[in-house]
Amino acid sequence: MKIYVATNNPQTAGSWANVLRARDDVEVIEARAVSVQADIIVMAGAWAFERYGGRPTRDEAQILPNETGDGMPLWVAIPPYRPFVRKGNEITVREDFAEVSPAYFAIAQSLRAIRREFGNGVVVLLDLPLLGMDDPCDEQTPLSVATAIGEAMSE
């Protein structure tokens, strides 16, 4: 599996490249999603549901066909949300997931679903703006994603 991490922000690209440079199966690129040749794009449900379908889930990523002809990859993976519980009028992350990074959970679950569905012979695009991960000042998200990629790819 080849993974592209894409952003138009040079500062974000630089910080992500510093974290992911040791992996030869991951490449950080400065590009818009529509200009990257990939089989599947991972994007947050906030951007994907209305356009590609699906619905919020909390256990597994959804993989949907892109039937819109919009220039994006032919498949869309939508990460799950961390499991939650309702306590009275409040919704909170389940205690056993409270310390799990949302970025880690989203990417690990997405890559696992992609491997189950397609195997290792696909090119995956992690588009940082469409994942809500395009903040050049955020140092934790790239580390969480690197851990998720490492674990998901070694299973």
Side-chain angles (χ1 to χ4, degrees):
M1 183 182 301
K2 173 71 175 176
I3 300 172
Y4 288 109
V5 176
T7 176
N8 280 332
N9 186 323
Q11 292 173 310
T12 303
S15 64
W16 281 75
N18 285 337
V19 172
L20 295 168
R21 69 175 162 233
R23 297 200 59 96
D24 59 0
D25 53 354
V26 178
E27 185 177 342
V28 179
I29 56 176
E30 287 182 48
R32 290 175 26 117
V34 294
S35 66
V36 179
Q37 293 295 314
D39 301 304
I40 187 163
I41 183 170
V42 182
M43 72 170 64
W47 304 111
F49 293 136
E50 187 175 321
R51 182 174 216 131
Y52 304 108
R55 59 179 172 60
T57 62
R58 54 187 170 164
D59 298 317
E60 288 192 19
Q62 298 169 69
I63 298 177
L64 304 170
N66 176 0
E67 299 170 336
T68 66
D70 62 0
M72 296 293 244
L74 294 176
W75 296 94
V76 178
I78 305 169
Y81 298 100
R82 291 180 301 168
F84 59 88
V85 293
R86 189 178 299 271
K87 292 180 180 179
N89 291 333
E90 227 178 274
I91 296 175
T92 60
V93 174
R94 224 172 60 195
E95 275 187 36
D96 52 334
F97 284 88
E99 299 299 316
V100 176
S101 156
Y104 168 86
F105 188 73
I107 299 306
Q109 294 299 89
S110 295
L111 293 176
R112 288 178 181 122
I114 291 167
R115 285 182 81 195
R116 276 193 307 273
E117 185 80 18
F118 299 103
N120 286 324
V122 293
V123 177
V124 176
L125 172 60
L126 304 179
D127 186 76
L128 297 181
L130 294 176
L131 283 165
M133 299 179 184
D134 202 26
D135 180 354
C137 298
D138 180 359
E139 296 175 358
Q140 283 307 123
T141 297
L143 294 171
S144 295
V145 170
T147 301
I149 291 171
E151 289 179 11
M153 298 299 283
S154 67
E155 293 175 347

